[in-house]
Amino acid sequence: MADYKKPDYWRQKARKEGYPARSVYKLKEIDEKFGLFNVQRSAIRVLDLGAAPGSWSLYVLRKIASFGKTAMEKSFLAAADLSPLSRESDKGLFDNDNFFFIQGDITAHRIRELLFSKGPYSAIISDAAPNTTGSHTVDAARSLELAETVISYAKDALAPGGNLTLKIFQGDGSDMPLKQMKILFKTTKSFKPQACRGESVETYFIGLGKL
């Protein structure tokens, strides 16, 4: 069994670059390969579902900070998770007016309505994963439920032309979210970034250009 506590290349790189988790490099590779955040636009509005500990949100906020002043002021990131975000290395970015975080269940009506009110979004990203039980069948089923929740957000809160990225545990029925996304997006992809552990059953579904 792999020792997940032993520092690996990606975890060490994350610490060096000021991110709370190695997962940031999954998003970075997906963004660079598929252009999730089109910097040609005057601004981006992003929703991060299942944001804790905060690496993906921090990546987006750093990207926004690299834009010109006008685009940076118009850009916005909303995020939600059951757990709080790590403040160890955010360097004040989580305190900016262009960032909103709510701690709560993304399936709850109150949370949904609040996040919808901040949209529409040009991109929705989700690295959300269920609490694992050790049963691949149970974990895959719970991951599927999360993916369906994220897609429901995309249906209602993602602007036309917007992009979606979500995580899924491979298992029975795990291809269903991609089939749903093919109806919603011009282009869909299944992609496993290099930063995923080799033994991991996780992969990512990407939808580009919401119809």
Side-chain angles (χ1 to χ4, degrees):
M1 181 177 295
D3 182 358
Y4 277 33
K5 294 183 179 180
K6 182 178 180 180
D8 60 16
Y9 168 79
W10 298 109
R11 184 174 294 177
Q12 291 174 340
K13 184 176 174 66
R15 289 176 178 172
K16 182 178 180 181
E17 297 184 357
Y19 289 103
R22 69 199 299 281
S23 59
V24 65
Y25 301 107
K26 303 171 190 178
L27 178 62
K28 184 175 187 291
E29 185 177 353
I30 293 170
D31 180 27
E32 291 175 347
K33 186 175 181 65
F34 299 104
L36 294 182
F37 314 111
N38 189 347
V39 295
Q40 301 299 322
R41 299 177 181 178
S42 58
I44 61 172
R45 295 186 71 85
V46 181
L47 175 60
D48 184 0
L49 297 171
S55 285
W56 280 29
S57 285
L58 193 54
Y59 174 85
V60 174
L61 288 172
R62 287 182 178 181
K63 196 172 192 73
I64 289 173
S66 72
F67 294 169
K69 182 178 180 181
T70 300
M72 183 176 68
E73 290 176 347
K74 293 181 178 180
S75 294
F76 179 77
L77 169 66
D81 199 289
L82 286 169
S83 301
L85 301 182
S86 169
R87 298 302 305 261
E88 184 177 351
S89 54
D90 72 293
K91 296 183 178 179
L93 287 176
F94 290 160
D95 296 321
N96 288 344
D97 292 338
N98 57 5
F99 178 63
F100 170 82
F101 175 74
I102 180 71
Q103 187 173 342
D105 185 348
I106 62 173
T107 66
H109 178 75
R110 180 182 70 86
I111 302 298
R112 287 176 62 91
E113 290 301 306
L114 182 55
L115 293 174
F116 285 173
S117 72
K118 305 292 183 180
Y121 301 96
S122 55
I124 295 178
I125 56 176
S126 177
D127 198 35
N131 291 325
T132 54
T133 65
S135 167
H136 175 63
T137 300
V138 173
D139 295 342
R142 291 181 176 179
S143 174
L144 180 59
E145 290 177 358
L146 272 175
E148 291 174 344
T149 295
V150 174
I151 291 173
S152 73
Y153 271 87
K155 289 178 179 178
D156 297 326
L158 191 61
N163 302 323
L164 169 67
T165 292
L166 61 85
K167 178 160 72 178
I168 187 79
F169 288 173
Q170 296 168 300
D172 290 342
S174 63
D175 60 335
M176 289 303 299
L178 193 61
K179 291 179 179 178
Q180 294 173 351
M181 289 168 62
K182 287 181 178 179
I183 301 172
L184 292 174
F185 294 92
K186 181 179 179 180
T187 303
T188 56
K189 301 287 185 180
S190 176
F191 181 71
K192 188 166 185 174
Q194 293 182 5
C196 293
R197 292 184 173 90
E199 68 275 16
S200 173
V201 297
E202 70 180 10
T203 192
Y204 291 81
F205 291 161
I206 298 107
L208 304 173
K210 186 188 177 189
L211 299 172

